[in-house]
């Protein structure tokens, strides 16, 4: 079974702190994604990566950065957390587009910024 | 730009059929997906349809795609209380590295 693991399910951080959200997948997938989910807004794409050290901005990249040093790991970084970044964050992965289309999600990380 | 729209709520009685609708704007979509999210959980892939298909059936689920109108629907036959969840449709923009664009999600409530 494909597994996408988000290391932290629930976090509480203070305004201004640097926050790391880690995501690891075990299926050698090329593409990885970070979304945030807010009620009534659905999932909005923050960043995605289609290869190691490659990254592309999604629809709402402001206030975030990402790192993909290894194929299996895609990290989301909040340089200086703010209260409007309180949300659920979902990581996903899929094979390269030539190899398949199934996207797998992690269980989500609930971040509260106080 | 790309956009995916869904109505936010749907309420049905147990045993009835549910139909969840979705419209999208990007005609270069190659795959369209339906995901289910139960409370406190991540997203579970229910089914997907390739853009050159009109219909796909998988047990109680039927997906209809009208490419001309850019309209996608998910029909759940014999809806059960365990089907209560949020349902997301999504389109895959494969000329942008497999980027997925999601709708807002439709909350399905099944009443006994």
């Amino acid at each position: 079974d494909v597994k996408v693991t988000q290391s932290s399910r629930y976090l509480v951080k203070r305004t201004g702190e640097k926050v790391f959200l880690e995501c690891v997948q075990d299926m050698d997938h090329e593409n990885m994604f970070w979304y945030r989910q807010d009620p009534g807004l659905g999932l909005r794409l923050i960043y995605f990566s289609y290869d190691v050290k490659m990254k592309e901005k999604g629809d709402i990249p402001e206030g975030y950065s990402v790192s993909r040093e290894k194929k299996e790991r895609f990290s989301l970084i909040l340089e200086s957390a703010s209260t409007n970044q309180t949300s659920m964050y979902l990581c996903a992965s899929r094979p390269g587009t030539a190899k398949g289309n199934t996207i797998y999600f992690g269980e989500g990380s609930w971040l509260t910024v106080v | 730009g790309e956009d995916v729209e869904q109505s936010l709520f749907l309420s049905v009685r147990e045993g009835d059929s549910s139909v969840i609708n979705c419209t999208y704007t990007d005609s270069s979509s190659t795959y369209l997906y339906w995901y289910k999210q139960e409370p406190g959980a991540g997203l579970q892939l229910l089914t997907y349809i390739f853009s050159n298909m009109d219909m796909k059936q998988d047990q109680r689920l039927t997906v209809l795609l009208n490419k001309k109108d850019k309209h996608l629907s998910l029909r759940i036959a014999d809806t059960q209380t365990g089907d209560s969840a949020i349902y997301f449709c999504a389109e895959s923009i494969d000329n942008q590295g497999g980027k997925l664009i999601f709708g807002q999600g439709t909350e399905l409530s099944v009443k006994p």
Side-chain angles (χ1 to χ4, degrees):
Chain A
D1 265 2
V2 172
K3 201 155 174 65
V4 180
T5 304
Q6 295 181 231
S7 53
S8 303
R9 288 297 315 269
Y10 302 96
L11 304 95
V12 179
K13 297 291 181 181
R14 293 198 179 276
T15 299
E17 274 193 77
K18 191 168 186 174
V19 182
F20 291 87
L21 298 179
E22 304 285 349
C23 176
V24 177
Q25 49 93 2
D26 65 359
M27 278 301 290
D28 201 37
H29 286 172
E30 281 79 8
N31 296 351
M32 295 189 74
F33 307 83
W34 274 106
Y35 290 86
R36 65 177 279 178
Q37 182 180 5
D38 300 288
L41 296 177
L43 276 73
R44 292 179 293 166
L45 181 64
I46 306 171
Y47 268 96
F48 65 106
S49 167
Y50 49 88
D51 205 347
V52 176
K53 296 194 189 294
M54 306 291 283
K55 59 186 179 186
E56 294 284 337
K57 290 180 180 178
D59 299 317
I60 51 161
E62 295 80 18
Y64 303 94
S65 61
V66 289
S67 171
R68 186 118 182 252
E69 294 297 317
K70 294 185 179 180
K71 194 174 187 181
E72 66 270 18
R73 187 179 296 270
F74 191 37
S75 304
L76 180 69
I77 303 153
L78 287 67
E79 296 290 342
S80 176
S82 63
T83 53
N84 64 11
Q85 292 178 309
T86 291
S87 186
M88 169 136 110
Y89 291 87
L90 285 162
C91 174
S93 77
R94 69 180 281 186
T97 53
K99 300 176 194 174
N101 53 72
T102 305
I103 299 101
Y104 300 88
F105 279 85
E107 290 292 302
S109 299
W110 288 95
L111 172 66
T112 301
V113 183
V114 297
Chain B
E2 314 106 354
D3 198 16
V4 179
E5 297 280 336
Q6 298 176 243
S7 52
L8 294 182
F9 301 101
L10 176 66
S11 181
V12 300
R13 293 219 170 269
E14 195 172 18
D16 287 352
S17 292
S18 310
V19 179
I20 303 172
N21 294 301
C22 172
T23 57
Y24 62 97
T25 56
D26 197 305
S27 55
S28 63
S29 303
T30 49
Y31 291 98
L32 295 127
Y33 301 83
W34 284 104
Y35 282 86
K36 177 182 180 182
Q37 186 181 38
E38 293 175 351
L43 272 70
Q44 171 198 354
L45 178 66
L46 280 181
T47 187
Y48 64 89
I49 189 166
F50 190 49
S51 58
N52 68 355
M53 297 168 66
D54 297 325
M55 185 181 93
K56 181 177 179 181
Q57 188 147 4
D58 184 1
Q59 298 182 330
R60 290 191 298 123
L61 304 178
T62 303
V63 178
L64 294 177
L65 175 61
N66 180 329
K67 204 170 177 185
K68 175 174 162 288
D69 293 339
K70 298 190 181 73
H71 183 266
L72 181 74
S73 67
L74 174 70
R75 179 176 179 270
I76 306 173
D78 187 26
T79 314
Q80 303 297 307
T81 53
D83 294 324
S84 293
I86 301 176
Y87 291 81
F88 290 93
C89 73
E91 59 173 346
S92 177
I93 314 293
D94 281 330
N95 61 2
Q96 294 184 37
K99 181 176 166 182
L100 270 187
I101 307 295
F102 283 83
Q104 305 94 319
T106 299
E107 184 174 346
L108 175 65
S109 172
V110 183
K111 300 188 186 319

